[in-house]
């Protein structure tokens, strides 16, 4: 069984973590900068899902 450090150092883990980080950053920019209120709202819902939070929490 791999330790957490060994697992994090695997190339696939680094790729997944990096991809997730870029996705979160992109969706965050859309949630803040998009001129359409509806699109900002949808982006905030997606961001909540990506961060593992309940969309209905205030």
């Amino acid at each position: 069984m791999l330790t957490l450090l060994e697992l994090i150092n695997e190339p696939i883990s680094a790729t997944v973590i990096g991809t997730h980080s870029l996705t979160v950053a992109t969706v965050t920019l859309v949630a803040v900068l998009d001129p359409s209120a509806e699109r900002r709202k949808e982006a905030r819902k997606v961001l909540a899902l990506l961060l593992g939070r309940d969309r209905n929490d205030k």
Side-chain angles (χ1 to χ4, degrees):
M1 177 124 188
L2 295 173
T3 65
L4 181 58
L5 185 58
E6 291 170 334
L7 185 60
I8 290 172
N9 284 329
E10 290 291 319
I12 189 68
S13 297
T15 302
V16 169
I17 292 168
T19 302
H20 183 266
S21 298
L22 287 173
T23 303
V24 168
T26 302
V27 172
T28 301
L29 285 173
V30 171
V32 173
L33 299 176
D34 198 281
S36 164
E38 185 62 33
R39 216 169 139 192
R40 286 193 312 266
K41 182 179 177 183
E42 293 300 319
R44 285 193 300 269
K45 288 180 182 179
V46 170
L47 188 59
L49 289 174
L50 287 171
L51 296 177
R53 298 183 179 168
D54 186 1
R55 292 182 311 216
N56 299 319
D57 284 350
K58 300 282 182 196

